[in-house]
Amino acid sequence: MKRQRPDIIVYILLALICTVSLLLRVTVPWDQVFVGQWVKFTDNDAYFYMRLLDNISQHFPYLGNLDPYFHFPGGYNPLNLPQFFIYLMGFLAWLFGAGSPSQHTVDLIGVYFPAVMGALMAIPVFFIAREVFNKWAGLIAAAVITVLPGEYLIRTLLGNTDIHIIEIGFTTLFMLFLILAVKNSLHLDAAALMRNKRKILKPLIFSMLAGLCLGIYILSWQGALMFVLISFTWLVIQFISDHVRGRDTVYLGFTGLITYLTALLLALASAAGSLTIFSLLIAVLVSAVLAALSRLLTRFNLKVYIYPAVVAGLGMATVAILYVINRTLAETIFSTVTGIFTWQTGSLTAEMQPMLIYEGSFTLGLFWGNYTLCSLLALAALGIVIYQGARKGMPDNILLAVWTLFILLTTLAMRRFAYYLAINIALLSGYATWLLLNITVLKENKVWNSNKPVNTVKVRSKKARGQPAARPGMIALGVILIWVLTIYPNTGPLPGGDRPFFDVASKALFTPSNAWCEAMDWIRDKTSEPFGNPDYYYAQYKPPATDAPYEYPYTDYSTICWWDYGYWVTRMGHRPPFSNPGTGERGEQNYFTAQDQYQAARYSNNWGARYVILDEQTVNWRSDFPAIASAAREPVNKYCEIYYRLKDDKLVPTLLYYPEYYRTMAVRLFCFDGKEYSPKETAVISWEVKTAPDGTTYKEITDLRTFVFPEQAAAFIKKQESGNWCIVGKDPGISPVWLEEMRDYKLAYSSSQKSKIGSVEMPTVKIFEYTRDAIPVVGDWNGDKKWEVGLWIPSSGYFLLDINGNGIWDPAKGDLKLGPFG
């Protein structure tokens, strides 16, 4: 019983860490998630998964292959994405809801799921560190993963109901069981396995569990082949390392074969993609072939360096054969592998941008913000682990090194992988802290064999003399060291007042504002039902019997918003948006930047739009507007630009807006409610391009004039024979040019929450109803025949034209019929 007491203490401490982790992840963001009558989710994609959970929880286990609310027109087939996450949450909702869960039960399952999973992550982290290092390093690592800020924390907070926590959880479990499988089979050779088949029981179970976790990971995320690549890379390196050292590689072949075969069977049962099936099949074959090749070369007593040469040759031959047999598949594999290491510096999606680049400049701030001082500890420990792996060839050290280096490179390329790297940072910083603890507090230098128990020779000698194993002062000093190195840098308060963990957890950055929640309540309750019945949102949908697209009822319509907000419209508003984060922009950027309502109508009518939702970020130069302009393939400086002016002998930057900005549909509707606007004055500036001492160029204002009427300003500019002159506005809510009335738009809703746009305070969210079905158009037909004015009737699909008379053009048939049409 006395022997077990230290382990009992360790497990009590581990349980305490998990409890603290759960409390932090629930209580800190609580007020941002449970707000009045709303349950808010802290991730945009969470609303996509919650929409599917709303439906599957009413029909569990049926998940149809159609969601007409996803976007209009078209809908979406949920079976196109990995489904484990949806089924897992659906089962939990069905279980806790006694087979008929209420909406409140569904919300609670969804909102608590990531926090509970995040709290439990301390357990596999502890056991991995215990297996590779020791139990005390494991406890420190578990504490570190509890308080790390940044991307990992965001993904494990209350309300962040996304697949990311499943990705983190099952990849960590995969690595844990893979390490256990290898360590339990390490000293087995083929002869021993044949004599005593019981010895394969533990390696078999752990290998199958590793394959099960890898298979579930594949069922959860489209990019799951990343960990197939990581483990496969380690496997090849370990085969070569063991063979060169004269170690029997049967255990590697056995572990790889069982692990990848289990994952392959699970992938086949779930009808995974051909790339996944092919990759796992290759991994199964390579596991068997490399083990057999090692035994064959050993039997013939050939030089050890022949093995890596043959392995390299087989690899190159396999790639060449694949290119010959299926070049497309080979190129897909190559692009998939290289793609995760590519730095997409031009991406507008934050999670796709490199970790070390922010707003075009190199920075360490993002990396430090995610891992703080633990990043330095982990990098130092990584060097030790690599050294140990190279020196001793221990598979757990080599696996941890390969795993960490791979994830580190992918994180530097795309910051979305920062939540994966958090596990490695916790493991390595826990090890580094334990090393420092031994050297500085316990005064023990024999710490390099990380797989030995933490009890040292010095401590045992004290027991032999009848002295206590550890003095209270040493324990206190050790706790202080752990706190200073791993906890305090993450929790603060730091000298500058920052509290990294709490600052991130309390903001819940991606929750919809109260204004958006109010707007979605209004559009759900106050607008006409597109499918005729409000319960249709929970219906069991029946797709068309053929490959024909889903036929929406004639009462259906779309809602236009910037694609970032589409999931909110579906889940909270129960209305099909035109676009969402799953589709990306589908053309709404062209609608929002259109310079008049007739140009905009060419888009909105084609989409069956009835409502347009805008918020202050849509027109904000520092938020969505640059992304909208970029998506429309327009430079942002077409709409606004920073100028400099001299004031007190100093250059002062000023953001100025061009007439094109005020004429966009987004600004006309949100800032001016679609009403006619006549400016009180119009400003005209002249400017020159100057060069700063660092070689960069800028525009400096050299003259400023104001006019009562925009026509006067335009006439003045036209008369200027030299210089650069333009009309500008300083305030997004005060236009320098006349804006005509948008007669086909009616302001239907304004949020009670206000935001300041320039000097004007206005509702944060506005919803406009689009009321017209026949749109006047001007242009040409087939590029040669001209008309002065025409009428587009979207409901019939016809253009009514006036080409020296009356005519009608059917775009579907491409023909023109002339004659009077009443």
Side-chain angles (χ1 to χ4, degrees):
M1 196 70 181
K2 290 183 178 179
R3 293 184 194 174
Q4 297 177 353
R5 188 170 299 169
D7 285 341
I8 291 175
I9 293 174
V10 167
Y11 293 136
I12 290 174
L13 291 174
L14 180 60
L16 181 62
I17 289 171
C18 291
T19 303
V20 171
S21 179
L22 180 61
L23 289 174
L24 288 173
R25 280 160 169 74
V26 170
T27 58
V28 177
W30 180 275
D31 292 340
Q32 302 294 318
V33 174
F34 294 99
V35 182
Q37 61 183 345
W38 302 302
V39 177
K40 297 184 180 181
F41 293 85
T42 59
D43 179 74
N44 211 338
D45 287 349
Y47 284 89
F48 166 73
Y49 290 106
M50 289 306 300
R51 153 60 187 154
L52 296 179
L53 180 59
D54 286 343
N55 196 268
I56 193 176
S57 62
Q58 303 302 315
H59 312 287
F60 189 82
Y62 178 80
L63 177 64
N65 58 351
L66 173 70
D67 180 12
Y69 283 85
F70 184 72
H71 68 75
F72 176 88
Y76 178 71
N77 182 359
L79 302 184
N80 287 334
L81 80 161
Q83 302 149 39
F84 176 80
F85 181 54
I86 301 168
Y87 274 101
L88 175 60
M89 287 205 304
F91 170 74
L92 293 174
W94 174 82
L95 180 66
F96 285 95
S100 182
S102 65
Q103 184 65 66
H104 183 64
T105 300
V106 171
D107 287 344
L108 291 182
I109 292 295
V111 84
Y112 277 105
F113 183 84
V116 173
M117 286 286 291
L120 294 176
M121 284 304 302
I123 297 175
V125 166
F126 163 78
F127 281 105
I128 290 176
R130 190 192 71 170
E131 292 300 318
V132 180
F133 308 121
N134 56 67
K135 59 188 176 184
W136 302 112
L139 277 179
I140 299 171
V144 170
I145 201 62
T146 295
V147 296
L148 273 183
E151 296 287 340
Y152 174 81
L153 174 60
I154 292 172
R155 271 30 179 219
T156 58
L157 283 176
L158 182 77
N160 199 289
T161 314
D162 203 340
I163 59 170
H164 303 308
I165 186 58
I166 292 290
E167 297 173 44
I168 303 167
F170 281 95
T171 54
T172 307
L173 286 172
F174 167 58
M175 287 300 180
L176 170 61
F177 290 128
L178 188 59
I179 289 171
L180 288 170
V182 168
K183 291 192 70 174
N184 279 275
S185 63
L186 180 61
H187 302 296
L188 300 178
D189 55 24
L193 289 174
M194 293 300 294
R195 288 194 304 269
N196 188 354
K197 293 184 174 56
R198 290 185 178 181
K199 291 185 177 182
I200 72 170
L201 185 58
K202 275 190 175 181
L204 176 64
I205 292 174
F206 286 131
S207 297
M208 292 178 66
L209 288 173
L212 178 65
C213 291
L214 181 60
I216 292 175
Y217 178 50
I218 291 171
L219 298 180
S220 302
W221 184 52
Q222 295 92 327
L225 285 178
M226 181 171 69
F227 270 76
V228 177
L229 178 60
I230 292 173
S231 57
F232 182 78
T233 302
W234 160 77
L235 191 68
V236 173
I237 293 173
Q238 193 66 49
F239 264 115
I240 294 173
S241 173
D242 285 354
H243 183 87
V244 169
R245 286 180 167 82
R247 185 184 296 160
D248 197 323
T249 62
V250 167
Y251 79 101
L252 283 178
F254 176 83
T255 301
L257 183 67
I258 299 300
T259 297
Y260 293 125
L261 184 59
T262 303
L264 176 62
L265 293 175
L266 199 58
L268 287 170
S270 63
S274 58
L275 181 59
T276 299
I277 301 298
F278 177 80
S279 300
L280 289 172
L281 182 59
I282 289 295
V284 170
L285 294 175
V286 168
S287 299
V289 169
L290 292 189
L293 179 63
S294 176
R295 287 190 60 79
L296 182 64
L297 295 182
T298 301
R299 178 178 297 178
F300 286 100
N301 200 27
L302 297 177
K303 298 292 184 181
V304 294
Y305 62 79
I306 294 178
Y307 183 77
V310 174
V311 171
L314 287 174
M316 290 186 289
T318 302
V319 172
I321 292 171
L322 181 59
Y323 261 91
V324 172
I325 296 176
N326 192 330
R327 184 181 181 89
T328 301
L329 179 60
E331 291 177 347
T332 301
I333 294 174
F334 180 77
S335 63
T336 301
V337 172
T338 57
I340 57 178
F341 298 107
T342 303
W343 288 36
Q344 301 181 36
T345 55
S347 175
L348 294 174
T349 304
E351 68 174 20
M352 302 297 289
Q353 296 170 359
M355 174 65 78
L356 302 181
I357 303 294
Y358 182 71
E359 293 185 350
S361 301
F362 176 83
T363 179
L364 293 173
L366 293 173
F367 197 87
W368 185 265
N370 273 274
Y371 312 115
T372 66
L373 183 61
C374 293
S375 59
L376 299 181
L377 294 171
L379 291 175
L382 178 60
I384 297 173
V385 170
I386 292 173
Y387 169 77
Q388 291 176 334
R391 180 169 171 262
K392 300 179 182 179
M394 296 302 293
D396 51 357
N397 285 311
I398 296 177
L399 176 56
L400 179 58
V402 171
W403 174 21
T404 302
L405 288 172
F406 196 106
I407 295 297
L408 176 61
L409 292 175
T410 57
T411 299
L412 295 178
M414 280 184 272
R415 69 181 72 163
R416 78 176 305 275
F417 294 116
Y419 54 82
Y420 281 104
L421 186 60
I423 302 297
N424 305 75
I425 295 291
L427 292 169
L428 292 168
S429 60
Y431 176 44
T433 305
W434 175 77
L435 290 177
L436 290 172
L437 185 65
N438 274 267
I439 295 171
T440 59
V441 177
L442 300 179
K443 308 296 184 182
E444 173 57 50
N445 294 318
K446 298 178 181 180
V447 297
W448 300 105
N449 187 354
S450 60
N451 294 285
K452 291 291 185 183
V454 75
N455 295 327
T456 63
V457 175
K458 184 174 291 187
V459 172
R460 287 196 297 270
S461 65
K462 288 182 178 180
K463 285 184 178 180
R465 295 195 302 269
Q467 298 177 3
R471 298 175 182 176
M474 292 172 58
I475 295 175
L477 190 58
V479 171
I480 292 173
L481 180 65
I482 294 171
W483 178 271
V484 170
L485 291 177
T486 61
I487 307 300
Y488 172 72
N490 296 304
T491 58
L494 303 179
D498 292 340
R499 304 171 70 208
F501 178 95
F502 298 98
D503 291 343
V504 172
S506 61
K507 290 178 182 176
L509 295 174
F510 304 107
T511 56
S513 64
N514 288 352
W516 265 100
C517 292
E518 288 177 1
M520 293 300 95
D521 288 347
W522 181 87
I523 205 168
R524 183 185 64 247
D525 298 334
K526 302 299 182 181
T527 62
S528 61
E529 284 291 338
F531 297 96
N533 183 354
D535 292 334
Y536 195 71
Y537 177 81
Y538 300 98
Q540 186 171 330
Y541 309 116
K542 295 181 179 179
T546 64
D547 293 334
Y550 178 75
E551 292 186 8
Y552 286 84
Y554 74 93
T555 55
D556 203 1
Y557 54 85
S558 75
T559 299
I560 299 176
C561 60
W562 183 230
W563 62 274
D564 276 354
Y565 311 121
Y567 290 156
W568 296 353
V569 175
T570 293
R571 209 268 168 166
M572 293 192 290
H574 292 194
R575 298 292 181 266
F578 174 66
S579 63
N580 56 44
T583 65
E585 65 276 356
R586 299 177 66 208
E588 69 272 20
Q589 69 274 17
N590 300 315
Y591 171 85
F592 286 134
T593 56
Q595 294 290 290
D596 60 64
Q597 60 181 322
Y598 306 125
Q599 181 185 359
R602 295 176 182 269
Y603 303 105
S604 58
N605 284 289
N606 220 23
W607 304 335
R610 184 172 303 177
Y611 293 97
V612 181
I613 307 177
L614 294 144
D615 68 347
E616 56 91 15
Q617 296 196 57
T618 314
V619 299
N620 193 325
W621 179 78
R622 295 188 178 277
S623 187
D624 290 340
F625 190 83
I628 292 172
S630 178
R633 298 185 179 181
E634 298 282 2
V636 177
N637 60 14
K638 173 182 176 180
Y639 303 100
C640 54
E641 201 166 359
I642 293 178
Y643 285 84
Y644 290 82
R645 57 189 176 87
L646 278 174
K647 185 177 182 181
D648 299 330
D649 295 327
K650 292 183 179 179
L651 285 173
V652 179
T654 302
L655 176 63
L656 298 177
Y657 299 88
Y658 297 128
E660 288 81 1
Y661 171 81
Y662 297 97
R663 293 189 180 114
T664 60
M665 286 292 294
V667 175
R668 282 176 184 243
L669 290 175
F670 186 79
C671 294
F672 303 100
D673 293 343
K675 297 177 181 178
E676 181 180 3
Y677 182 87
S678 298
K680 295 181 179 179
E681 65 175 21
T682 298
V684 174
I685 62 167
S686 68
W687 52 271
E688 294 179 359
V689 177
K690 302 247 179 122
T691 303
D694 61 359
T696 59
T697 59
Y698 63 93
K699 292 182 178 181
E700 182 179 336
I701 299 172
T702 57
D703 194 3
L704 169 64
R705 304 193 184 191
T706 58
F707 299 86
V708 176
F709 300 108
E711 294 82 2
Q712 292 175 325
F716 170 78
I717 293 175
K718 191 173 182 179
K719 291 179 181 178
Q720 305 309 304
E721 297 180 356
S722 62
N724 301 302
W725 297 85
C726 61
I727 295 175
V728 294
K730 190 175 181 180
D731 194 317
I734 303 176
S735 174
V737 294
W738 175 76
L739 302 175
E740 72 271 19
E741 180 183 2
M742 313 283 285
R743 296 181 179 178
D744 302 323
Y745 293 87
K746 179 180 71 174
L747 179 61
Y749 172 83
S750 296
S751 66
S752 59
Q753 184 178 340
K754 307 288 185 180
S755 296
K756 202 165 187 180
I757 308 298
S759 63
V760 182
E761 188 176 67
M762 57 186 68
T764 302
V765 178
K766 296 180 179 181
I767 301 178
F768 295 86
E769 184 178 4
Y770 181 56
T771 59
R772 187 152 185 171
D773 189 47
I775 306 301
V777 294
V778 294
D780 61 61
W781 176 68
N782 281 351
D784 53 359
K785 298 180 180 180
K786 305 288 184 180
W787 70 85
E788 295 179 357
V789 67
L791 199 63
W792 181 12
I793 305 181
S795 59
S796 66
Y798 293 117
F799 282 105
L800 296 179
L801 310 177
D802 184 356
I803 309 176
N804 297 326
N806 295 317
I808 186 169
W809 176 47
D810 183 349
K813 298 180 180 178
D815 61 350
L816 175 71
K817 299 178 181 178
L818 296 179
F821 289 91

